Short mmCIF file of all heavy atoms in Angstrom, two decimals:
data_model
loop_
_atom_site.label_atom_id
_atom_site.label_comp_id
_atom_site.label_asym_id
_atom_site.label_seq_id
_atom_site.Cartn_x
_atom_site.Cartn_y
_atom_site.Cartn_z
N MET A 166 -12.30 2.33 -54.54
CA MET A 166 -11.62 1.13 -54.13
C MET A 166 -10.67 1.41 -52.95
O MET A 166 -10.62 0.67 -51.99
CB MET A 166 -10.85 0.56 -55.32
CG MET A 166 -10.05 -0.68 -55.01
SD MET A 166 -11.16 -2.06 -54.82
CE MET A 166 -10.01 -3.34 -54.56
N LEU A 167 -9.90 2.49 -53.06
CA LEU A 167 -8.95 2.85 -52.01
C LEU A 167 -9.66 3.22 -50.72
O LEU A 167 -9.20 2.85 -49.62
CB LEU A 167 -8.06 4.01 -52.47
CG LEU A 167 -6.96 4.42 -51.51
CD1 LEU A 167 -5.99 3.28 -51.28
CD2 LEU A 167 -6.23 5.63 -52.06
N SER A 168 -10.81 3.88 -50.83
CA SER A 168 -11.55 4.26 -49.63
C SER A 168 -12.10 3.03 -48.91
O SER A 168 -12.18 3.02 -47.69
CB SER A 168 -12.67 5.23 -49.98
OG SER A 168 -13.61 4.61 -50.83
N LYS A 169 -12.48 2.00 -49.64
CA LYS A 169 -12.96 0.77 -49.01
C LYS A 169 -11.83 0.08 -48.26
O LYS A 169 -12.06 -0.45 -47.16
CB LYS A 169 -13.53 -0.18 -50.07
CG LYS A 169 -14.83 0.30 -50.66
CD LYS A 169 -15.36 -0.70 -51.66
CE LYS A 169 -16.65 -0.21 -52.28
NZ LYS A 169 -17.20 -1.16 -53.23
N ILE A 170 -10.64 0.10 -48.78
CA ILE A 170 -9.50 -0.52 -48.09
C ILE A 170 -9.17 0.27 -46.81
O ILE A 170 -8.92 -0.34 -45.77
CB ILE A 170 -8.27 -0.58 -49.06
CG1 ILE A 170 -8.57 -1.53 -50.20
CG2 ILE A 170 -7.03 -1.01 -48.30
CD1 ILE A 170 -7.52 -1.53 -51.28
N ILE A 171 -9.21 1.58 -46.88
CA ILE A 171 -8.93 2.39 -45.71
C ILE A 171 -9.98 2.17 -44.64
O ILE A 171 -9.67 2.03 -43.46
CB ILE A 171 -8.83 3.89 -46.10
CG1 ILE A 171 -7.59 4.10 -46.97
CG2 ILE A 171 -8.78 4.77 -44.85
CD1 ILE A 171 -7.48 5.49 -47.54
N ILE A 172 -11.24 2.10 -45.01
CA ILE A 172 -12.32 1.85 -44.05
C ILE A 172 -12.16 0.46 -43.44
O ILE A 172 -12.33 0.29 -42.23
CB ILE A 172 -13.70 2.01 -44.72
CG1 ILE A 172 -13.93 3.46 -45.06
CG2 ILE A 172 -14.81 1.48 -43.83
CD1 ILE A 172 -15.16 3.71 -45.90
N PHE A 173 -11.80 -0.53 -44.23
CA PHE A 173 -11.58 -1.89 -43.73
C PHE A 173 -10.42 -1.90 -42.72
O PHE A 173 -10.53 -2.53 -41.65
CB PHE A 173 -11.29 -2.84 -44.89
CG PHE A 173 -11.01 -4.23 -44.47
CD1 PHE A 173 -12.03 -5.05 -44.02
CD2 PHE A 173 -9.72 -4.74 -44.51
CE1 PHE A 173 -11.78 -6.34 -43.62
CE2 PHE A 173 -9.45 -6.03 -44.11
CZ PHE A 173 -10.48 -6.84 -43.67
N ILE A 174 -9.33 -1.21 -43.01
CA ILE A 174 -8.20 -1.15 -42.10
C ILE A 174 -8.58 -0.43 -40.80
O ILE A 174 -8.20 -0.86 -39.71
CB ILE A 174 -7.00 -0.47 -42.78
CG1 ILE A 174 -6.46 -1.38 -43.89
CG2 ILE A 174 -5.89 -0.15 -41.78
CD1 ILE A 174 -5.40 -0.77 -44.77
N LEU A 175 -9.37 0.62 -40.88
CA LEU A 175 -9.82 1.32 -39.69
C LEU A 175 -10.70 0.45 -38.82
O LEU A 175 -10.60 0.44 -37.59
CB LEU A 175 -10.58 2.59 -40.07
CG LEU A 175 -9.71 3.76 -40.56
CD1 LEU A 175 -10.59 4.90 -41.04
CD2 LEU A 175 -8.78 4.22 -39.45
N ILE A 176 -11.58 -0.32 -39.43
CA ILE A 176 -12.44 -1.24 -38.66
C ILE A 176 -11.61 -2.30 -37.95
O ILE A 176 -11.81 -2.58 -36.79
CB ILE A 176 -13.50 -1.87 -39.59
CG1 ILE A 176 -14.51 -0.81 -40.02
CG2 ILE A 176 -14.22 -3.02 -38.87
CD1 ILE A 176 -15.49 -1.27 -41.08
N ILE A 177 -10.63 -2.86 -38.65
CA ILE A 177 -9.74 -3.86 -38.03
C ILE A 177 -8.96 -3.24 -36.88
O ILE A 177 -8.81 -3.85 -35.83
CB ILE A 177 -8.80 -4.47 -39.09
CG1 ILE A 177 -9.57 -5.22 -40.16
CG2 ILE A 177 -7.76 -5.35 -38.45
CD1 ILE A 177 -10.36 -6.41 -39.64
N ALA A 178 -8.48 -2.00 -37.06
CA ALA A 178 -7.72 -1.32 -36.01
C ALA A 178 -8.59 -1.06 -34.79
O ALA A 178 -8.14 -1.24 -33.65
CB ALA A 178 -7.13 -0.02 -36.55
N ILE A 179 -9.83 -0.66 -34.99
CA ILE A 179 -10.74 -0.42 -33.87
C ILE A 179 -11.00 -1.70 -33.12
O ILE A 179 -10.98 -1.73 -31.88
CB ILE A 179 -12.06 0.21 -34.38
CG1 ILE A 179 -11.79 1.65 -34.84
CG2 ILE A 179 -13.14 0.19 -33.31
CD1 ILE A 179 -12.96 2.29 -35.56
N ILE A 180 -11.24 -2.77 -33.84
CA ILE A 180 -11.46 -4.07 -33.18
C ILE A 180 -10.21 -4.49 -32.40
O ILE A 180 -10.31 -4.94 -31.26
CB ILE A 180 -11.87 -5.13 -34.22
CG1 ILE A 180 -13.25 -4.84 -34.77
CG2 ILE A 180 -11.81 -6.53 -33.62
CD1 ILE A 180 -13.66 -5.70 -35.93
N TYR A 181 -9.07 -4.31 -33.00
CA TYR A 181 -7.83 -4.75 -32.36
C TYR A 181 -7.52 -3.96 -31.10
O TYR A 181 -7.12 -4.52 -30.10
CB TYR A 181 -6.67 -4.64 -33.36
CG TYR A 181 -5.36 -5.14 -32.80
CD1 TYR A 181 -5.11 -6.49 -32.65
CD2 TYR A 181 -4.39 -4.24 -32.39
CE1 TYR A 181 -3.91 -6.94 -32.13
CE2 TYR A 181 -3.19 -4.67 -31.88
CZ TYR A 181 -2.96 -6.02 -31.75
OH TYR A 181 -1.78 -6.46 -31.21
N PHE A 182 -7.66 -2.66 -31.14
CA PHE A 182 -7.25 -1.81 -30.02
C PHE A 182 -8.31 -1.61 -28.95
O PHE A 182 -7.98 -1.33 -27.80
CB PHE A 182 -6.80 -0.44 -30.53
CG PHE A 182 -5.46 -0.49 -31.22
CD1 PHE A 182 -5.39 -0.28 -32.59
CD2 PHE A 182 -4.31 -0.79 -30.53
CE1 PHE A 182 -4.17 -0.31 -33.24
CE2 PHE A 182 -3.09 -0.83 -31.18
CZ PHE A 182 -3.02 -0.60 -32.54
N PHE A 183 -9.58 -1.78 -29.27
CA PHE A 183 -10.61 -1.48 -28.27
C PHE A 183 -11.41 -2.68 -27.82
O PHE A 183 -11.81 -2.76 -26.66
CB PHE A 183 -11.56 -0.41 -28.82
CG PHE A 183 -10.91 0.92 -28.99
CD1 PHE A 183 -10.64 1.40 -30.27
CD2 PHE A 183 -10.53 1.68 -27.92
CE1 PHE A 183 -10.04 2.63 -30.46
CE2 PHE A 183 -9.92 2.91 -28.09
CZ PHE A 183 -9.66 3.39 -29.37
N ILE A 184 -11.67 -3.62 -28.69
CA ILE A 184 -12.53 -4.74 -28.33
C ILE A 184 -11.73 -5.93 -27.80
O ILE A 184 -12.07 -6.50 -26.78
CB ILE A 184 -13.43 -5.13 -29.53
CG1 ILE A 184 -14.35 -3.97 -29.86
CG2 ILE A 184 -14.22 -6.38 -29.22
CD1 ILE A 184 -15.18 -4.17 -31.09
N ILE A 185 -10.68 -6.30 -28.48
CA ILE A 185 -9.90 -7.49 -28.10
C ILE A 185 -9.26 -7.37 -26.71
O ILE A 185 -9.30 -8.32 -25.95
CB ILE A 185 -8.87 -7.82 -29.19
CG1 ILE A 185 -9.60 -8.33 -30.43
CG2 ILE A 185 -7.87 -8.87 -28.71
CD1 ILE A 185 -8.73 -8.66 -31.61
N PRO A 186 -8.67 -6.22 -26.32
CA PRO A 186 -8.09 -6.13 -24.97
C PRO A 186 -9.08 -6.36 -23.84
O PRO A 186 -8.70 -6.78 -22.76
CB PRO A 186 -7.52 -4.72 -24.91
CG PRO A 186 -7.24 -4.36 -26.31
CD PRO A 186 -8.33 -5.04 -27.10
N LYS A 187 -10.36 -6.10 -24.06
CA LYS A 187 -11.34 -6.34 -23.01
C LYS A 187 -11.52 -7.81 -22.72
O LYS A 187 -11.90 -8.20 -21.62
CB LYS A 187 -12.69 -5.71 -23.40
CG LYS A 187 -12.65 -4.21 -23.41
CD LYS A 187 -13.99 -3.63 -23.79
CE LYS A 187 -13.90 -2.13 -23.85
NZ LYS A 187 -15.18 -1.51 -24.22
N PHE A 188 -11.28 -8.66 -23.70
CA PHE A 188 -11.45 -10.10 -23.53
C PHE A 188 -10.22 -10.76 -22.92
O PHE A 188 -10.29 -11.86 -22.40
CB PHE A 188 -11.80 -10.78 -24.85
CG PHE A 188 -13.16 -10.38 -25.36
CD1 PHE A 188 -13.29 -9.56 -26.48
CD2 PHE A 188 -14.30 -10.79 -24.71
CE1 PHE A 188 -14.52 -9.20 -26.96
CE2 PHE A 188 -15.55 -10.41 -25.17
CZ PHE A 188 -15.66 -9.61 -26.29
N ARG A 189 -9.10 -10.09 -22.97
CA ARG A 189 -7.90 -10.61 -22.34
C ARG A 189 -7.98 -10.34 -20.86
O ARG A 189 -8.43 -9.29 -20.41
CB ARG A 189 -6.65 -9.92 -22.89
CG ARG A 189 -6.39 -10.23 -24.32
CD ARG A 189 -5.12 -9.53 -24.75
NE ARG A 189 -4.96 -9.62 -26.19
CZ ARG A 189 -4.11 -8.92 -26.89
NH1 ARG A 189 -3.33 -8.08 -26.29
NH2 ARG A 189 -4.03 -9.06 -28.19
N GLY A 190 -7.55 -11.29 -20.07
CA GLY A 190 -7.58 -11.11 -18.62
C GLY A 190 -6.48 -10.15 -18.18
O GLY A 190 -5.46 -10.02 -18.81
N LYS A 191 -6.73 -9.48 -17.08
CA LYS A 191 -5.70 -8.62 -16.52
C LYS A 191 -4.63 -9.49 -15.90
O LYS A 191 -4.89 -10.54 -15.34
CB LYS A 191 -6.30 -7.69 -15.47
CG LYS A 191 -7.24 -6.68 -16.03
CD LYS A 191 -7.72 -5.74 -14.97
CE LYS A 191 -8.64 -4.69 -15.56
NZ LYS A 191 -9.12 -3.76 -14.52
N LYS A 192 -3.40 -9.01 -15.98
CA LYS A 192 -2.29 -9.76 -15.41
C LYS A 192 -2.39 -9.72 -13.89
O LYS A 192 -2.68 -8.65 -13.31
CB LYS A 192 -0.96 -9.16 -15.86
CG LYS A 192 -0.73 -9.32 -17.33
CD LYS A 192 0.60 -8.75 -17.73
CE LYS A 192 0.83 -8.89 -19.22
NZ LYS A 192 2.09 -8.29 -19.64
N PRO A 193 -2.17 -10.83 -13.24
CA PRO A 193 -2.25 -10.82 -11.79
C PRO A 193 -1.10 -9.98 -11.20
O PRO A 193 0.00 -9.98 -11.71
CB PRO A 193 -2.11 -12.29 -11.39
CG PRO A 193 -1.45 -12.93 -12.55
CD PRO A 193 -1.87 -12.15 -13.76
N ARG A 194 -1.43 -9.28 -10.15
CA ARG A 194 -0.45 -8.43 -9.50
C ARG A 194 0.48 -9.29 -8.67
O ARG A 194 0.04 -10.10 -7.86
CB ARG A 194 -1.15 -7.41 -8.63
CG ARG A 194 -0.23 -6.39 -8.04
CD ARG A 194 -1.03 -5.34 -7.31
NE ARG A 194 -0.10 -4.53 -6.55
CZ ARG A 194 -0.43 -3.85 -5.49
NH1 ARG A 194 -1.68 -3.87 -5.07
NH2 ARG A 194 0.45 -3.13 -4.85
N ASN A 195 1.77 -9.09 -8.83
CA ASN A 195 2.75 -9.87 -8.10
C ASN A 195 3.36 -8.99 -7.01
O ASN A 195 4.23 -8.18 -7.26
CB ASN A 195 3.82 -10.39 -9.06
CG ASN A 195 4.74 -11.39 -8.40
OD1 ASN A 195 4.58 -11.68 -7.23
ND2 ASN A 195 5.66 -11.92 -9.15
N ASP A 196 2.90 -9.15 -5.78
CA ASP A 196 3.40 -8.36 -4.67
C ASP A 196 4.78 -8.80 -4.21
O ASP A 196 5.43 -8.10 -3.42
CB ASP A 196 2.44 -8.39 -3.49
CG ASP A 196 1.15 -7.66 -3.79
OD1 ASP A 196 1.16 -6.76 -4.63
OD2 ASP A 196 0.14 -8.00 -3.17
N GLY A 197 5.26 -9.94 -4.65
CA GLY A 197 6.55 -10.44 -4.23
C GLY A 197 7.72 -9.69 -4.84
O GLY A 197 8.85 -9.91 -4.45
N ASP A 198 7.47 -8.82 -5.78
CA ASP A 198 8.54 -8.09 -6.43
C ASP A 198 8.91 -6.81 -5.71
O ASP A 198 9.79 -6.11 -6.15
CB ASP A 198 8.17 -7.75 -7.88
CG ASP A 198 8.11 -9.00 -8.74
OD1 ASP A 198 8.70 -10.02 -8.34
OD2 ASP A 198 7.48 -8.94 -9.81
N ASN A 199 8.27 -6.50 -4.61
CA ASN A 199 8.55 -5.28 -3.87
C ASN A 199 9.61 -5.56 -2.82
O ASN A 199 9.41 -6.32 -1.88
CB ASN A 199 7.28 -4.75 -3.20
CG ASN A 199 6.23 -4.37 -4.21
OD1 ASN A 199 6.55 -3.94 -5.29
ND2 ASN A 199 4.99 -4.54 -3.85
N PHE A 200 10.78 -4.92 -2.99
CA PHE A 200 11.88 -5.12 -2.05
C PHE A 200 12.10 -3.86 -1.24
O PHE A 200 11.94 -2.74 -1.72
CB PHE A 200 13.16 -5.46 -2.83
CG PHE A 200 13.17 -6.86 -3.36
CD1 PHE A 200 12.68 -7.13 -4.62
CD2 PHE A 200 13.66 -7.91 -2.62
CE1 PHE A 200 12.68 -8.40 -5.13
CE2 PHE A 200 13.65 -9.19 -3.12
CZ PHE A 200 13.18 -9.45 -4.38
N VAL A 201 12.50 -4.04 0.02
CA VAL A 201 12.84 -2.94 0.90
C VAL A 201 14.20 -3.24 1.52
O VAL A 201 14.62 -4.38 1.60
CB VAL A 201 11.77 -2.74 2.01
CG1 VAL A 201 10.46 -2.25 1.41
CG2 VAL A 201 11.54 -4.00 2.81
N GLU A 202 14.83 -2.20 2.01
CA GLU A 202 16.15 -2.36 2.61
C GLU A 202 16.02 -2.44 4.12
O GLU A 202 15.37 -1.60 4.75
CB GLU A 202 17.04 -1.17 2.21
CG GLU A 202 18.45 -1.31 2.69
CD GLU A 202 19.34 -0.17 2.21
OE1 GLU A 202 18.82 0.79 1.62
OE2 GLU A 202 20.55 -0.24 2.47
N CYS A 203 16.66 -3.43 4.70
CA CYS A 203 16.66 -3.58 6.15
C CYS A 203 17.51 -2.47 6.75
O CYS A 203 18.62 -2.20 6.29
CB CYS A 203 17.24 -4.95 6.55
SG CYS A 203 17.38 -5.19 8.33
N SER A 204 17.01 -1.82 7.79
CA SER A 204 17.73 -0.69 8.37
C SER A 204 18.90 -1.15 9.24
O SER A 204 19.78 -0.35 9.56
CB SER A 204 16.78 0.19 9.17
OG SER A 204 16.24 -0.54 10.25
N LYS A 205 18.94 -2.41 9.63
CA LYS A 205 20.04 -2.90 10.47
C LYS A 205 21.18 -3.52 9.66
O LYS A 205 22.33 -3.17 9.84
CB LYS A 205 19.52 -3.93 11.48
CG LYS A 205 18.69 -3.32 12.56
CD LYS A 205 18.41 -4.32 13.65
CE LYS A 205 17.65 -3.65 14.77
NZ LYS A 205 17.40 -4.57 15.88
N CYS A 206 20.87 -4.42 8.76
CA CYS A 206 21.92 -5.14 8.02
C CYS A 206 22.08 -4.63 6.60
O CYS A 206 22.96 -5.10 5.87
CB CYS A 206 21.68 -6.63 8.04
SG CYS A 206 20.16 -7.15 7.19
N ASP A 207 21.28 -3.68 6.17
CA ASP A 207 21.36 -3.06 4.82
C ASP A 207 21.20 -4.04 3.67
O ASP A 207 21.69 -3.80 2.57
CB ASP A 207 22.68 -2.29 4.66
CG ASP A 207 22.78 -1.12 5.63
OD1 ASP A 207 21.72 -0.52 5.93
OD2 ASP A 207 23.89 -0.82 6.08
N THR A 208 20.54 -5.16 3.89
CA THR A 208 20.25 -6.07 2.79
C THR A 208 18.83 -5.81 2.30
O THR A 208 17.99 -5.29 3.02
CB THR A 208 20.37 -7.55 3.24
OG1 THR A 208 19.46 -7.76 4.31
CG2 THR A 208 21.77 -7.88 3.66
N PHE A 209 18.59 -6.16 1.06
CA PHE A 209 17.26 -5.99 0.49
C PHE A 209 16.49 -7.30 0.63
O PHE A 209 16.98 -8.36 0.27
CB PHE A 209 17.36 -5.60 -0.98
CG PHE A 209 17.81 -4.18 -1.16
CD1 PHE A 209 19.15 -3.89 -1.31
CD2 PHE A 209 16.89 -3.16 -1.19
CE1 PHE A 209 19.55 -2.57 -1.46
CE2 PHE A 209 17.29 -1.84 -1.33
CZ PHE A 209 18.63 -1.54 -1.47
N VAL A 210 15.31 -7.19 1.21
CA VAL A 210 14.44 -8.36 1.42
C VAL A 210 13.07 -8.04 0.82
O VAL A 210 12.72 -6.88 0.62
CB VAL A 210 14.31 -8.72 2.91
CG1 VAL A 210 15.62 -9.19 3.47
CG2 VAL A 210 13.80 -7.55 3.71
N GLU A 211 12.32 -9.09 0.57
CA GLU A 211 10.96 -8.87 0.07
C GLU A 211 10.11 -8.21 1.14
O GLU A 211 10.33 -8.40 2.33
CB GLU A 211 10.34 -10.19 -0.35
CG GLU A 211 10.96 -10.80 -1.57
CD GLU A 211 10.23 -12.03 -2.03
OE1 GLU A 211 8.98 -11.98 -2.04
OE2 GLU A 211 10.89 -13.02 -2.35
N LEU A 212 9.16 -7.42 0.68
CA LEU A 212 8.30 -6.69 1.61
C LEU A 212 7.57 -7.63 2.55
O LEU A 212 7.41 -7.34 3.72
CB LEU A 212 7.34 -5.82 0.81
CG LEU A 212 6.41 -4.91 1.61
CD1 LEU A 212 7.22 -3.90 2.41
CD2 LEU A 212 5.46 -4.18 0.69
N LYS A 213 7.16 -8.78 2.00
CA LYS A 213 6.41 -9.74 2.84
C LYS A 213 7.29 -10.41 3.89
O LYS A 213 6.80 -10.96 4.85
CB LYS A 213 5.73 -10.79 1.96
CG LYS A 213 6.69 -11.68 1.22
CD LYS A 213 5.94 -12.68 0.37
CE LYS A 213 6.93 -13.58 -0.35
NZ LYS A 213 6.27 -14.57 -1.14
N ASP A 214 8.62 -10.33 3.73
CA ASP A 214 9.54 -10.94 4.68
C ASP A 214 10.15 -9.92 5.63
O ASP A 214 11.17 -10.18 6.27
CB ASP A 214 10.67 -11.67 3.94
CG ASP A 214 10.17 -12.86 3.16
OD1 ASP A 214 9.14 -13.44 3.58
OD2 ASP A 214 10.80 -13.22 2.14
N SER A 215 9.53 -8.76 5.73
CA SER A 215 10.06 -7.72 6.60
C SER A 215 8.99 -7.26 7.58
O SER A 215 7.82 -7.54 7.43
CB SER A 215 10.57 -6.52 5.77
OG SER A 215 9.47 -5.93 5.11
N VAL A 216 9.46 -6.54 8.61
CA VAL A 216 8.57 -6.04 9.66
C VAL A 216 8.91 -4.57 9.85
O VAL A 216 10.07 -4.17 9.77
CB VAL A 216 8.81 -6.81 10.98
CG1 VAL A 216 7.96 -6.26 12.10
CG2 VAL A 216 8.52 -8.28 10.79
N ILE A 217 7.89 -3.76 10.10
CA ILE A 217 8.11 -2.34 10.38
C ILE A 217 8.26 -2.17 11.88
O ILE A 217 7.39 -2.53 12.66
CB ILE A 217 6.97 -1.47 9.85
CG1 ILE A 217 6.87 -1.59 8.33
CG2 ILE A 217 7.17 -0.02 10.25
CD1 ILE A 217 5.73 -0.81 7.74
N LYS A 218 9.43 -1.63 12.29
CA LYS A 218 9.66 -1.35 13.71
C LYS A 218 10.21 0.05 13.80
O LYS A 218 11.22 0.39 13.19
CB LYS A 218 10.66 -2.36 14.28
CG LYS A 218 10.89 -2.21 15.74
CD LYS A 218 11.83 -3.28 16.25
CE LYS A 218 12.03 -3.11 17.75
NZ LYS A 218 12.98 -4.09 18.26
N ASP A 219 9.55 0.89 14.57
CA ASP A 219 9.93 2.30 14.74
C ASP A 219 9.96 3.04 13.40
O ASP A 219 10.82 3.89 13.16
CB ASP A 219 11.27 2.44 15.43
CG ASP A 219 11.27 1.86 16.85
OD1 ASP A 219 10.20 1.95 17.50
OD2 ASP A 219 12.30 1.34 17.29
N GLY A 220 9.07 2.67 12.50
CA GLY A 220 8.96 3.34 11.20
C GLY A 220 10.00 2.91 10.19
O GLY A 220 10.12 3.51 9.14
N LYS A 221 10.78 1.86 10.49
CA LYS A 221 11.81 1.38 9.57
C LYS A 221 11.58 -0.10 9.30
O LYS A 221 11.07 -0.82 10.16
CB LYS A 221 13.20 1.57 10.18
CG LYS A 221 13.55 3.02 10.42
CD LYS A 221 14.90 3.15 11.06
CE LYS A 221 15.21 4.59 11.34
NZ LYS A 221 16.51 4.74 12.03
N TYR A 222 11.98 -0.52 8.12
CA TYR A 222 11.84 -1.94 7.76
C TYR A 222 13.02 -2.72 8.35
O TYR A 222 14.16 -2.32 8.23
CB TYR A 222 11.81 -2.12 6.25
CG TYR A 222 10.55 -1.59 5.61
CD1 TYR A 222 10.53 -0.39 4.95
CD2 TYR A 222 9.37 -2.33 5.68
CE1 TYR A 222 9.37 0.10 4.35
CE2 TYR A 222 8.20 -1.87 5.09
CZ TYR A 222 8.21 -0.66 4.44
OH TYR A 222 7.06 -0.21 3.85
N ILE A 223 12.69 -3.86 8.95
CA ILE A 223 13.71 -4.75 9.50
C ILE A 223 13.39 -6.16 9.04
O ILE A 223 12.26 -6.61 9.09
CB ILE A 223 13.71 -4.70 11.04
CG1 ILE A 223 14.02 -3.27 11.51
CG2 ILE A 223 14.70 -5.67 11.62
CD1 ILE A 223 13.94 -3.08 12.99
N CYS A 224 14.42 -6.86 8.56
CA CYS A 224 14.19 -8.23 8.08
C CYS A 224 13.98 -9.14 9.28
O CYS A 224 14.35 -8.84 10.42
CB CYS A 224 15.37 -8.70 7.23
SG CYS A 224 16.92 -8.88 8.09
N LYS A 225 13.38 -10.28 9.03
CA LYS A 225 13.05 -11.22 10.12
C LYS A 225 14.30 -11.81 10.73
O LYS A 225 14.28 -12.22 11.89
CB LYS A 225 12.11 -12.29 9.58
CG LYS A 225 10.74 -11.75 9.23
CD LYS A 225 9.82 -12.82 8.74
CE LYS A 225 8.46 -12.22 8.37
NZ LYS A 225 7.52 -13.24 7.88
N GLU A 226 15.40 -11.87 9.99
CA GLU A 226 16.65 -12.39 10.54
C GLU A 226 17.22 -11.45 11.61
O GLU A 226 17.79 -11.92 12.60
CB GLU A 226 17.68 -12.60 9.42
CG GLU A 226 17.28 -13.65 8.41
CD GLU A 226 17.20 -15.04 9.00
OE1 GLU A 226 18.06 -15.38 9.86
OE2 GLU A 226 16.28 -15.77 8.63
N CYS A 227 17.08 -10.16 11.41
CA CYS A 227 17.60 -9.20 12.41
C CYS A 227 16.72 -9.15 13.65
O CYS A 227 17.19 -8.67 14.69
CB CYS A 227 17.70 -7.81 11.78
SG CYS A 227 19.01 -7.68 10.54
N LEU A 228 15.49 -9.59 13.56
CA LEU A 228 14.62 -9.59 14.75
C LEU A 228 14.98 -10.70 15.72
O LEU A 228 14.66 -10.63 16.89
CB LEU A 228 13.16 -9.72 14.32
CG LEU A 228 12.52 -8.50 13.67
CD1 LEU A 228 11.12 -8.82 13.22
CD2 LEU A 228 12.51 -7.33 14.63
N LYS A 229 15.68 -11.72 15.24
CA LYS A 229 16.01 -12.87 16.10
C LYS A 229 17.10 -12.53 17.08
O LYS A 229 17.90 -11.72 17.01
CB LYS A 229 16.44 -14.05 15.24
CG LYS A 229 15.32 -14.59 14.40
CD LYS A 229 15.79 -15.75 13.57
CE LYS A 229 14.65 -16.24 12.67
NZ LYS A 229 15.07 -17.33 11.82
#
């Protein structure tokens, strides 16, 4: 009786850890969370709102 319960728990664990995660979608990657420091004004801006000039990140406000 005890061995049947252990086998049942192992089967449920295998299904839970190996089969179910494959059906869940992967989380979309959020590139907006990447921040860099502006080399001129020392503020942190999103990577998409910055420009690389002379190998350093510069925010769009400092380019004006």
Side-chain angles (χ1 to χ4, degrees):
M166 178 74 178
L167 183 61
S168 63
K169 290 182 181 181
I170 294 173
I171 293 173
I172 291 172
F173 178 73
I174 291 173
L175 285 174
I176 291 172
I177 296 298
I179 289 170
I180 291 171
Y181 182 76
F182 287 111
F183 294 109
I184 296 175
I185 290 179
K187 291 181 182 179
F188 293 109
R189 294 182 189 167
K191 292 184 179 180
K192 293 181 181 178
R194 187 174 169 204
N195 190 358
D196 290 334
D198 291 341
N199 297 327
F200 286 90
V201 292
E202 185 176 6
C203 176
S204 63
K205 288 190 176 182
C206 64
D207 296 326
T208 58
F209 287 92
V210 294
E211 291 186 44
L212 184 61
K213 66 180 180 179
D214 294 332
S215 65
V216 177
I217 297 178
K218 183 177 181 183
D219 298 327
K221 298 178 182 178
Y222 290 103
I223 299 175
C224 66
K225 292 181 180 179
E226 296 295 321
C227 290
L228 287 176
K229 294 180 182 178

